[in-house]
Amino acid sequence: MRKKSAATATTGATAAKKTATAKKTAAPAKKSAATAKKTAATAKKSAATVKKSAATAKKAAAKAPAAKAPAAKAESRVAMVRRARRINRELAEVYPYAHPELDFRNSFELLVATVLSAQTTDLRVNQTTPALFAAYPTPEDMAAADPERLEELIRPTGFFRAKAKSLLGLSAALRDRFDGEVPGRLEDLVTLPGVGRKTANVVLGNAYGVPGITVDTHFGRLVRRFGWTEQTDPEKVEAEIAEIFPKSEWTMLSHRVVFHGRRICHSRKPACGACPIAHDCPSYGEGELDPEKAKKLLKYEKGGQPGQRLRPPADYPGQPAPPLAGR
């Protein structure tokens, strides 16, 4: 019995020794695992710090002012004038038939038609004036017109009451101050009721052959797009454009620019992809660039449609406009 107990004790001691050894062996392994876990946590923390730093740098970069591209070299005055005159020559080739788009047979009819053209289209004026001039062919006739009948005749042009007042006033002035004749000087024309520099230049340039620049909505819009001026006041625009071109070009320049504005270089959506002077235009790209889509934006003879005049010049390549329905 004593022998068996001793053996058992020996076996227990051996087992205890093995267990202690195992525990002693496991401790470093456990410590290594903890160290590895701590290292992994440190690495994760470092990665998060790097990520945060990158985000901070990105945010700071976003707030920082963007680096500006080198500014394009400003166009010199000489270069602009050369380009402007080149555009005029190119427009002359595109619109060799450019003309005033109001129907008229004499200076009085042109003066009246131009006054009526405010805030409406030349087409609507041309559809209205045949009946008007049939009733009142001379300044004397129009000065004696019944205001209500005159208003009714010009009603299609809009603002007919104000326009009727101007027509009655200018007709009376022509009768009383100019012997029933339309004067051929700008200084005299602008004294007539309803007549400003634009109207005066239209009459002078197209009825009397006196050069003038007509700054209407189309002309003003295009010369700014072309970079010829930054002015918006019509008189200042006229003055600056007059310095660029010789006087002999003023009247036809006006027609060409207006023709281009009505047919291709529209206000809201220019047909840039169909523009023959795109290579000289600093505003190229503001409108439709696709050639096929741009072609669909063309108006009047460029789009295969009737023009604005019921009686166009013989060299006009388009179709005459139709008369007003019911007249």
Side-chain angles (χ1 to χ4, degrees), residues 99-100 104 110 200-210 212 214 251-252 255:
H99 58 270
F104 67 98
L110 179 57
N201 280 329
V202 170
V203 173
L204 291 173
N206 297 286
Y208 293 119
V210 177
T214 304
T251 299
M252 288 309 300
H255 291 324

Side-chain angles (χ1 to χ4, degrees), residues 108-109 111-113 115-116 129 131-147 150 153-154 163-175:
F108 175 63
E109 290 190 357
L111 176 61
V112 169
V115 170
L116 290 176
T129 51
L132 177 66
F133 294 137
Y136 312 114
T138 68
E140 292 82 0
D141 295 325
M142 191 168 288
D146 175 68
L150 180 59
L153 284 171
I154 66 173
K163 290 179 180 179
K165 185 177 180 181
S166 293
L167 294 185
L168 289 169
L170 71 84
S171 297
L174 293 177
R175 179 195 63 195

Side-chain angles (χ1 to χ4, degrees), residues 114-240:
T114 306
V115 170
L116 290 176
S117 68
Q119 305 298 316
T120 190
T121 63
D122 286 357
L123 171 60
R124 184 48 57 93
V125 174
N126 293 336
Q127 292 173 325
T128 302
T129 51
L132 177 66
F133 294 137
Y136 312 114
T138 68
E140 292 82 0
D141 295 325
M142 191 168 288
D146 175 68
E148 290 186 2
R149 188 187 176 205
L150 180 59
E151 288 177 2
E152 190 58 33
L153 284 171
I154 66 173
R155 181 186 289 268
T157 66
F159 301 95
F160 57 91
R161 290 191 178 88
K163 290 179 180 179
K165 185 177 180 181
S166 293
L167 294 185
L168 289 169
L170 71 84
S171 297
L174 293 177
R175 179 195 63 195
D176 301 338
R177 293 165 44 205
F178 298 101
D179 297 322
E181 298 293 332
V182 176
R185 298 195 319 154
L186 187 142
E187 295 83 357
D188 295 328
L189 284 168
V190 295
T191 66
L192 300 173
V195 178
R197 288 186 66 90
K198 184 193 84 168
T199 298
N201 280 329
V202 170
V203 173
L204 291 173
N206 297 286
Y208 293 119
V210 177
I213 295 173
T214 304
V215 184
D216 69 354
T217 303
H218 301 289
F219 189 91
R221 182 180 76 249
L222 264 66
V223 296
R224 285 187 288 275
R225 277 183 177 169
F226 292 162
W228 298 353
T229 182
E230 294 181 354
Q231 300 293 340
T232 56
D233 178 78
E235 289 194 27
K236 291 181 180 179
V237 171
E238 180 185 341
E240 290 201 1

